[in-house]
Amino acid sequence: MTPAEIASRPRVEGEREQEILEATLDVLADVGYDRLTMDAVAAAARASKATLYRRWDSKASLVLEAVLAQKGPIGDAPDTGTLRGDLIASFCGHGGLADERALAVFSSLITALGRDAEFAEGFRTQFIGPQIERTRELYKRAEARGEIREDLDLDIVGPALAGIVLHRQFIMGRPPTPETITKVIDQVILPAVLRPSNPKEES
């Protein structure tokens, strides 16, 4: 089909767009990024391939938008009053590290980050980047409250929780649960970042 013929098709939007994005996630979780094709998504969404190309010019752009739509808008970092509460709220809730669907989709993208430069650039910029900044906000807020040490390198500390949990999932084969994530927070993250208590201040 020529570009002119594709351009003449009506634009995909609204509920139909969401149906196609959901179908993309279903195919992605089922067969992985490498085996996902526009034909497969079109069949799952009961749409024509031309309809997809009218809205998305490549597999990378389609998958990236589907992943971003699944996560939803990145809102303000939760403010529970403590770093512990903020981390639990951020990483144990919907779309967090214990969300089975989100984790299944993410696992299917691992190979794409090393093989598809277009997708990798967009994913790191539009998905990972905002997540990192949101986590940094949690730590900066905790720093302002005097909860954590001032000498922390947030570029190292910020991704540590996700790194540990995802290592357990993809290397050790141990799927994360809210209970496991909370243990990592309590036994690894907080002991590493909280300011040591001063007995004189407590007396």
Side-chain angles (χ1 to χ4, degrees):
M1 180 165 288
T2 68
E5 289 173 322
I6 292 175
S8 68
R9 299 276 179 158
R11 183 175 178 82
V12 179
E13 54 189 10
E15 291 185 4
R16 190 62 179 129
E17 179 181 69
Q18 291 305 311
E19 290 172 356
I20 293 173
L21 295 177
E22 282 294 322
T24 302
L25 292 176
D26 289 340
V27 175
L28 187 63
D30 185 39
V31 304
Y33 184 87
D34 291 345
R35 295 175 60 192
L36 181 145
T37 64
M38 299 296 260
D39 284 320
V41 173
R46 297 186 178 181
S48 69
K49 187 165 66 171
T51 297
L52 270 61
Y53 275 112
R54 177 66 182 86
R55 175 66 177 80
W56 299 277
D57 60 5
S58 67
K59 177 172 81 169
S61 63
L62 171 60
V63 171
L64 180 60
E65 185 164 340
V67 172
L68 293 174
Q70 173 193 239
K71 186 64 177 178
I74 302 298
D76 295 333
D79 188 356
T80 66
T82 67
L83 178 61
R84 181 181 189 273
D86 291 350
L87 290 173
I88 291 174
S90 291
F91 290 93
C92 292
H94 175 70
L97 295 175
D99 186 314
E100 291 185 8
R101 179 174 170 81
L103 196 63
V105 169
F106 183 77
S107 67
S108 70
L109 300 175
I110 297 299
T111 57
L113 294 176
R115 297 180 184 177
D116 188 323
E118 178 190 355
F119 175 79
E121 180 180 2
F123 186 76
R124 290 179 178 129
T125 301
Q126 299 179 50
F127 185 87
I128 299 297
Q131 294 296 331
I132 290 174
E133 287 306 312
R134 191 169 184 261
T135 302
R136 284 179 65 89
E137 185 180 338
L138 299 183
Y139 283 98
K140 296 299 289 186
R141 190 186 295 149
E143 184 179 17
R145 289 193 297 255
E147 279 189 271
I148 63 175
R149 295 164 25 211
E150 297 178 355
D151 62 340
L152 293 176
D153 186 337
L154 295 185
D155 288 335
I156 294 176
V157 172
L161 175 56
I164 293 170
V165 173
L166 294 177
H167 179 274
R168 287 173 57 85
Q169 162 71 14
F170 297 121
I171 304 301
M172 301 174 65
R174 298 181 181 178
T177 64
E179 293 75 20
T180 299
I181 295 170
T182 300
K183 284 183 179 180
V184 175
I185 292 170
D186 288 338
Q187 298 180 21
V188 180
I189 304 300
L190 294 181
V193 305
L194 294 181
R195 295 179 63 183
S197 59
N198 187 336
K200 293 184 180 179
E201 293 178 352
E202 297 175 354
S203 61

